[in-house]
Amino acid sequence: QVQLVESGGGLVQAGGSLRLSCGASGSILRINFMGWYRQAPGNQRELVAVITSGSSTNYADSVKGRFTISTDNAKNTVYLQMNSLKPEDTGVYSCYAETVSYTQVRIITWGQGTQVTVSS
């Protein structure tokens, strides 16, 4: 089993910053990539940012220049630094990871999500 636990969400004024964290634990031989999705009320879940085992990154156009994804490989943790937050960034942010088990099985795991609310 693999577990992902997010933290760092909260309420912030527009223009403020938050830092989300997501730690992975369980039967993990390696992590191929980790990332963040978000879902606002009434909207589809969208990819926000992803980082691969080779440290390459991809961002949604709406967050480029404002958000930064990074990892602490020793801790199996991914971070999302969110700066210059806008009300439209409001939503539930969920961590995900593709991991490989010791039996060479690829597993996609989702965290339970953390609420981010940006007020005007």
Side-chain angles (χ1 to χ4, degrees), residues 33-101:
F33 56 82
M34 298 185 73
W36 295 90
Y37 279 76
R38 70 185 180 189
Q39 187 169 24
N43 292 342
Q44 297 288 334
R45 184 164 60 184
E46 65 172 343
L47 178 65
V48 177
V50 62
I51 185 166
T52 72
S53 61
S55 298
S56 64
T57 58
N58 287 291
Y59 298 91
D61 288 341
S62 59
V63 307
K64 286 180 179 177
R66 300 187 297 119
F67 291 10
T68 302
I69 189 169
S70 62
T71 59
D72 183 335
N73 292 328
K75 298 180 179 179
N76 283 347
T77 299
V78 64
Y79 305 95
L80 186 67
Q81 179 67 46
M82 305 185 294
N83 298 326
S84 302
L85 283 162
K86 304 174 181 179
E88 51 262 45
D89 294 319
T90 294
V92 176
Y93 285 68
S94 299
C95 176
Y96 75 96
E98 183 183 279
T99 61
V100 179
S101 74

Side-chain angles (χ1 to χ4, degrees), residues 2 12 25 29 43-44 54 60 65 68-69 87-88 91 97 101 104 107 116:
V2 177
V12 66
S25 62
L29 175 63
N43 292 342
Q44 297 288 334
T68 302
I69 189 169
E88 51 262 45
S101 74
Q104 304 285 69
I107 302 170
V116 171

